[in-house]
Amino acid sequence: MAQIPEFDLADIKRRMQGAVSSLSKDLGSLRTGRATPSLLDPIQVGAYGAMMPMAQVATVSVPEPRLLSISVWDRSMISAVEKAIRESDLGLNPQTEGQTIRLRIPEMNEQRRKEMVKVAHKYAEESRVAVRHVRRDGLDHLKKLLKESLISEDDEKRQAADVQKATDQYIAEVDGVLASKEKEIMQV
């Protein structure tokens, strides 16, 4: 008979935290009308025969609230970085001055802000679903341990309550991250 591994609440919490971290990363790439270096994270630049993240070919800084400054390390890569920015669906127009590319972040209108909030809600719901999947896996594992008589019913109930408590905590964290991002997007 196959050995069923022990129940590990710390692993369950780590997996739930991963869903929250993924949400934070996804929301970081949403445009809010304010300049942030994470806005360029999804952009891949064709450099040296491979696709590379922007952070591996340039330094991105925020000199003003609505301006990104990109210092390209290798002068020969400037046109590739410009091309990658234009082809991204961010709707930004790069302006080059020597080895520096400037990106003005345009003001967002009310309709665009509402669309961004909807996208943020979609990301948050995906995170909630991921947290619930981890909960389901944990509860299934506990039922299996109970069925194999490796834990008592009391232990199964107590640990199931711990899993539910962790689930509630991480769902609340997802809601908090979403609320702060929504406030940031709707801020004029």
Side-chain angles (χ1 to χ4, degrees):
M1 182 168 89
Q3 178 69 24
I4 297 175
E6 273 188 50
F7 180 74
D8 185 3
L9 185 62
D11 182 56
I12 299 278
K13 287 182 175 181
R14 182 189 55 73
R15 290 171 54 202
M16 288 180 178
Q17 181 59 49
V20 175
S21 299
S22 176
L23 171 66
S24 296
K25 186 171 182 263
D26 289 344
L27 291 180
S29 66
L30 275 185
R31 225 175 89 190
T32 61
R34 169 176 279 129
T36 60
S38 62
L39 190 63
L40 302 179
D41 285 352
I43 296 179
Q44 296 284 315
V45 179
Y48 312 112
M51 294 307 280
M52 304 173 100
M54 180 73 71
Q56 291 184 7
V57 296
T59 304
V60 180
S61 61
V62 185
E64 297 172 25
R66 295 201 179 282
L67 180 71
L68 286 175
S69 178
I70 305 164
S71 299
V72 183
W73 301 327
D74 183 352
R75 193 179 280 281
S76 65
M77 297 305 312
I78 292 174
S79 61
V81 171
E82 279 183 327
K83 181 180 178 209
I85 293 168
R86 277 198 187 92
E87 290 176 353
S88 73
D89 55 356
L90 294 174
L92 300 174
N93 189 23
Q95 298 160 341
T96 306
E97 300 166 10
Q99 270 184 264
T100 303
I101 298 173
R102 299 198 186 287
L103 291 175
R104 287 245 166 248
I105 309 295
E107 188 74 45
M108 286 175 39
N109 63 21
E110 189 69 21
Q111 180 184 357
R112 184 78 178 127
R113 287 179 193 280
K114 287 180 179 170
E115 287 172 19
M116 287 292 145
V117 168
K118 282 182 185 171
V119 172
H121 278 273
K122 187 184 87 161
Y123 287 157
E125 187 54 36
E126 289 169 3
S127 277
R128 287 187 203 103
V129 167
V131 168
R132 289 185 198 117
H133 281 303
V134 174
R135 176 187 62 189
R136 186 197 61 217
D137 292 347
L139 295 177
D140 288 351
H141 186 75
L142 285 171
K143 285 180 183 143
K144 209 178 284 180
L145 289 172
L146 180 64
K147 184 179 171 200
E148 298 289 328
S149 301
L150 296 172
I151 59 172
S152 68
E153 274 188 46
D154 289 344
D155 283 343
E156 189 261 348
K157 280 189 171 66
R158 183 179 44 75
Q159 290 181 326
D162 290 345
V163 169
Q164 185 59 48
K165 196 183 304 176
T167 302
D168 294 342
Q169 173 192 339
Y170 286 105
I171 294 282
E173 203 172 313
V174 165
D175 292 341
V177 169
L178 173 64
S180 74
K181 187 63 174 188
E182 190 172 343
K183 182 179 172 195
E184 184 183 334
I185 291 171
M186 293 310 287
Q187 197 173 54
V188 180

